[in-house]
Amino acid sequence: MRVVEALARGRHVVYTSDINVALKLVARFVEETTGGRINVVAERGVAEALAAVLTRGLERVVLSEKPEEGLPGPETRLVCVDKPCFDVPAENVVVFLTQRVKAPRFYTRHYLRRLDWGVYVFETPSTGERVVLTTSGGRLVEGTGLAPLEERALELVKKAMLDYGELRVGDVLFLIEREMGVSKNAAREILSKLVSRRYLRVRRGVVELA
């Protein structure tokens, strides 16, 4: 799943506790979607902050404080930042909220959570999909958020699960230690990072894909 493509059609609400990362995602949305206007509804200070992080596409953006100031036409997308404008009659709507306001049932819910410094996960519970986003040059980019060593370890674990089935924590640590030539402490740190980034989980001593 690509985040911008997932939000480009239909009605969506994205819950996050970080307004700054929400603005970075709005900037990506503006820069990567094509065709038509984008009506961004936000308080004046938030709108000014968004304009500051946009690198392109600003000519397609209409900034307003109320959705009725620029009701979208058929080719216009509505983006609301910290404003629960669920009752606007538009087909393409993305609402970013830092408060837990209940969205109507026909809105697809997403959650944008911080995993680590500069690393976030974009999750869609209804489909089970998740995308890791990292900050690079002030922008949000899609990626694993893992160091090369951790990515290699993850691939080793996935392959071992296919080959051998259930793996216990000790099995995974031994696999990482032996196949990657690292110490037991380093193997533990790698496994801990994969669990904290929600690529793996541990249940009753058994390692599973998260």
Side-chain angles (χ1 to χ4, degrees), residues 53-84:
V53 298
L54 277 172
T55 59
R56 61 182 186 276
L58 190 57
E59 70 281 354
R60 297 171 51 223
V61 174
V62 176
L63 295 171
S64 56
E65 294 187 44
K66 297 179 181 179
E68 56 267 23
E69 292 173 2
L71 282 176
E75 292 302 316
T76 301
R77 295 180 175 90
L78 178 66
V79 176
C80 300
V81 184
D82 246 4
K83 285 182 175 284

Side-chain angles (χ1 to χ4, degrees), residues 26-181:
V26 173
R28 269 200 64 184
F29 184 84
V30 170
E31 292 166 2
E32 295 183 17
T33 52
T34 58
R37 293 187 313 159
I38 298 177
N39 183 23
V40 177
V41 179
E43 295 298 334
R44 187 177 302 276
V46 174
E48 290 171 354
L50 174 62
V53 298
L54 277 172
T55 59
R56 61 182 186 276
L58 190 57
E59 70 281 354
R60 297 171 51 223
V61 174
V62 176
L63 295 171
S64 56
E65 294 187 44
K66 297 179 181 179
E68 56 267 23
E69 292 173 2
L71 282 176
E75 292 302 316
T76 301
R77 295 180 175 90
L78 178 66
V79 176
C80 300
V81 184
D82 246 4
K83 285 182 175 284
C85 46
F86 296 121
D87 56 349
V88 177
E91 293 184 6
N92 303 319
V93 185
V94 185
V95 181
F96 291 84
L97 292 176
T98 57
Q99 50 193 318
R100 287 302 177 89
V101 177
K102 189 175 181 181
R105 290 183 182 179
F106 51 87
Y107 273 75
T108 302
R109 292 162 180 77
H110 311 273
Y111 296 88
L112 183 59
R113 299 188 178 98
R114 177 177 165 177
L115 290 181
D116 204 344
W117 179 258
V119 182
Y120 305 86
V121 62
F122 182 90
E123 298 177 309
T124 307
S126 61
T127 62
E129 292 179 290
R130 61 193 299 276
V131 177
V132 173
L133 301 167
T134 59
T135 53
S136 176
R139 292 175 52 80
L140 276 183
V141 295
E142 294 174 21
T144 64
L146 297 173
L149 204 63
E150 294 155 359
E151 287 189 351
R152 184 182 165 205
L154 180 60
E155 292 307 312
L156 280 173
V157 173
K158 286 180 177 179
K159 184 177 185 305
M161 287 177 172
L162 289 174
D163 292 342
Y164 307 111
E166 184 178 283
L167 297 176
R168 302 194 68 78
V169 170
D171 301 326
V172 172
L173 292 175
F174 178 74
L175 174 70
I176 295 173
E177 185 181 356
R178 184 191 66 189
E179 296 294 327
M180 300 181 61

